[in-house]
Amino acid sequence: MRCAECGEREFTAATETLDYSGTLPGVSLLGVEVETCRSCGETYTRIPALSSLHRALARLVVQKEARLAAPEIRFLRKWLSLTGVDLAGVIGVAPETVSRWENDREAMCVSADRLLRAVVLEGLSIRPSLRRLLPATAQPDGEELTATLRPRDGRWRVENATGVIEAKFLRARDGDCRGQRARLRRVVQ
């Protein structure tokens, strides 16, 4: 590998904790490899198994006790590979409403919050116990989602998390989430 800034080929490698708040506030990634150019100091971060990480984060977000926050709505929409217009069509609201939710100018109503979580659970190929999931998401305020994840055996594992619903009621079905998301995109289009 060559440094994009100076062309140097020599790097020092270190394992660090990465603040992933630019994607989801309150999320930290442990054991991320960071390489630093010995000549100019430019850094390069390698996040292994990115799709596995985002799948784990999507699962954590839908397990959150409080209503979804703006960055979480945006993250889930992007994870589903939907545009704002597509998500608006799925939920049955105007595209401008999705924009207001994602930019924190309007709170997402309880029914839309629940529907988005259900769509994500379908994308995760998880059958939820709706009796346990839905009443918990009615809380307008609750503990903020915080999570620390670590890569292990090619997948991301949650080290600790706060503000999420008890995970025991979620049962994974066999299947790949990419196929579920592709089917959802076909339905939306």
Side-chain angles (χ1 to χ4, degrees):
M1 179 170 102
R2 284 182 164 246
C3 177
E5 291 296 314
C6 69
E8 179 67 43
R9 290 184 183 259
E10 298 211 16
F11 293 85
T12 57
T15 302
E16 298 180 8
T17 297
L18 178 68
D19 179 15
Y20 210 55
S21 291
T23 301
L24 272 177
V27 174
S28 298
L29 307 179
L30 304 175
V32 175
E33 186 178 318
V34 178
E35 294 182 347
T36 304
C37 175
R38 289 188 181 190
S39 179
C40 70
E42 182 74 14
T43 60
Y44 299 88
T45 304
R46 291 187 186 181
I47 300 175
L50 192 60
S51 62
S52 172
L53 168 64
H54 286 175
R55 180 180 171 83
L57 290 172
R59 186 176 179 138
L60 277 173
V61 169
V62 298
Q63 292 174 353
K64 178 182 168 187
E65 291 178 342
R67 283 197 211 159
L68 297 172
E72 295 160 345
I73 297 166
R74 183 178 306 108
F75 172 80
L76 292 175
R77 176 184 56 78
K78 289 180 177 182
W79 185 80
L80 289 165
S81 300
L82 296 174
T83 66
V85 172
D86 292 340
L87 180 60
V90 168
I91 294 181
V93 297
E96 297 80 15
T97 302
V98 172
S99 176
R100 286 192 297 270
W101 293 339
E102 290 186 357
N103 291 296
D104 206 16
R105 291 193 317 267
E106 181 180 316
M108 185 180 241
C109 67
V110 173
S111 58
D113 181 294
R114 290 174 179 173
L115 182 55
L116 178 55
R117 290 175 198 247
V119 169
V120 171
L121 289 169
E122 176 66 23
L124 286 166
S125 299
I126 294 174
R127 185 179 62 211
S129 168
L130 295 177
R131 267 187 265 146
R132 293 182 79 183
L133 173 65
L134 299 182
T137 61
Q139 302 175 27
D141 296 313
E143 189 174 4
E144 289 297 315
L145 172 69
T146 59
T148 305
L149 295 93
R150 177 185 304 274
R152 191 175 307 136
D153 302 323
R155 298 184 67 187
W156 284 86
R157 307 287 184 207
V158 177
E159 290 283 313
N160 62 55
T162 61
V164 296
I165 300 167
E166 183 66 36
K168 292 177 186 172
F169 71 90
L170 294 176
R171 291 176 282 175
R173 294 190 316 233
D174 293 331
D176 184 1
C177 65
R178 288 183 298 243
Q180 295 288 336
R181 291 199 312 257
R183 282 193 291 280
L184 176 64
R185 280 195 299 276
R186 285 194 297 273
V187 168
V188 171
Q189 295 170 346

